[in-house]
């Protein structure tokens, strides 16, 4: 799941793959802004067949948080 999400971040947000680890902070380390986060959420919902509620988004501090959520909730990978 991590590699799939990492590839998505690289492709969609043009992030450097070397910067992306499970511990990477989405905002502080990767520079993901609120618009990019919203885009990432929509792409994850489509790609993984999951609904991500607003209250869940606030829990996404680092890449590992997103991976954990997707592993627990995704219907397709």
């Amino acid at each position: 799941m991590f590699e799939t999400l990492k590839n998505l971040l690289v492709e969609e947000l043009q992030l450097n793959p070397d910067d992306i680890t499970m511990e990477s902070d989405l905002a502080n380390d990767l520079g993901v802004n609120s618009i990019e986060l919203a885009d990432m959420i929509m792409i994850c919902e489509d790609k993984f067949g999951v609904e991500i509620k607003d209250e869940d988004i606030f829990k996404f501090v680092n890449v590992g948080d997103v991976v954990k959520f997707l592993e627990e909730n995704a219907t397709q990978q």
Side-chain angles (χ1 to χ4, degrees), residues 18-43:
D18 296 333
D19 293 340
I20 303 171
T21 67
M22 289 287 282
E23 294 78 30
S24 298
D25 186 287
L26 293 168
N28 296 325
D29 296 333
L30 301 178
V32 176
N33 63 38
S34 58
I35 294 170
E36 291 170 327
L37 181 61
D39 287 344
M40 184 187 79
I41 297 302
M42 289 189 301
I43 292 165

Side-chain angles (χ1 to χ4, degrees), residues 2 5-6 9 15 19-32 37 40-41 44 56-70:
F2 168 71
L5 181 62
K6 179 178 176 178
L9 292 170
L15 297 177
D19 293 340
I20 303 171
T21 67
M22 289 287 282
E23 294 78 30
S24 298
D25 186 287
L26 293 168
N28 296 325
D29 296 333
L30 301 178
V32 176
L37 181 61
M40 184 187 79
I41 297 302
C44 285
D56 294 322
I57 295 170
F58 295 113
K59 298 175 189 172
F60 297 162
V61 175
N62 61 38
V63 173
D65 296 333
V66 182
V67 169
K68 181 179 178 198
F69 178 87
L70 292 173

Side-chain angles (χ1 to χ4, degrees), residues 1 4 43-52 66-77:
M1 184 64 73
T4 304
I43 292 165
C44 285
E45 286 179 329
D46 289 341
K47 183 166 182 66
F48 300 107
V50 61
E51 180 183 352
I52 303 172
V66 182
V67 169
K68 181 179 178 198
F69 178 87
L70 292 173
E71 286 176 343
E72 292 172 355
N73 298 282
T75 57
Q76 55 197 26
Q77 297 181 17

